[in-house]
Amino acid sequence: MAERKILLVDDVDYTRQLLRNNIMAICQSGKIQHRNFTFYNAGKASAAMDLFSLQLPGIVFLDIELPDASGLELLKKFKALKPDCFIVMVSGVSTLDNVKQSIADGAASFIVKPFTGDKILAALRLYERYLAQ
């Protein structure tokens, strides 16, 4: 199976590590088909934009609240660069407006913090179904 690239964007290092650890545990458990992911991490929108442009990942876990820009703005930029990118918004600010705006701008899923392994698994399964289309 081909290696997949994941970009994790959150201003809190612990949250990025928690996402990565959950994704790795899900891969090792055999609950999804893909087992090889290359991880890229960014704590700011500017770094995320640079990494995204260089790596063009297939899936992004993207926080809305970033210190230097809104994740919603970043979502639009990512989708403009790579329309088929699968973007999962991850936020503690789960207002109805944020969720609606995320989906309208092309996000495939929305996970509320604090997240669980089951929520991440559900997003990864959606990603696999998306790839199978």
Side-chain angles (χ1 to χ4, degrees), residues 60-77:
V60 177
F61 285 82
L62 176 60
D63 189 14
I64 290 178
E65 300 285 322
L66 297 168
D68 57 339
S70 166
L72 292 171
E73 287 304 312
L74 214 49
L75 166 65
K76 291 177 194 174
K77 291 177 181 178

Side-chain angles (χ1 to χ4, degrees), residues 11-84:
D11 58 322
V12 178
D13 182 57
Y14 175 76
T15 302
R16 291 192 312 270
Q17 288 300 321
L18 194 57
L19 271 168
R20 184 177 190 274
N21 291 344
N22 271 277
I23 292 166
M24 289 174 59
I26 290 166
C27 291
Q28 292 169 355
S29 73
K31 292 180 180 178
I32 61 171
Q33 291 178 0
H34 294 92
R35 300 256 168 41
N36 284 332
F37 287 100
T38 299
F39 291 89
Y40 299 92
N41 297 282
K44 291 184 175 183
S46 55
M49 194 67 221
D50 290 344
L51 277 169
F52 188 91
S53 298
L54 285 171
Q55 300 300 329
L56 295 174
I59 182 170
V60 177
F61 285 82
L62 176 60
D63 189 14
I64 290 178
E65 300 285 322
L66 297 168
D68 57 339
S70 166
L72 292 171
E73 287 304 312
L74 214 49
L75 166 65
K76 291 177 194 174
K77 291 177 181 178
F78 289 171
K79 292 301 276 187
L81 277 173
K82 187 176 180 189
D84 66 338

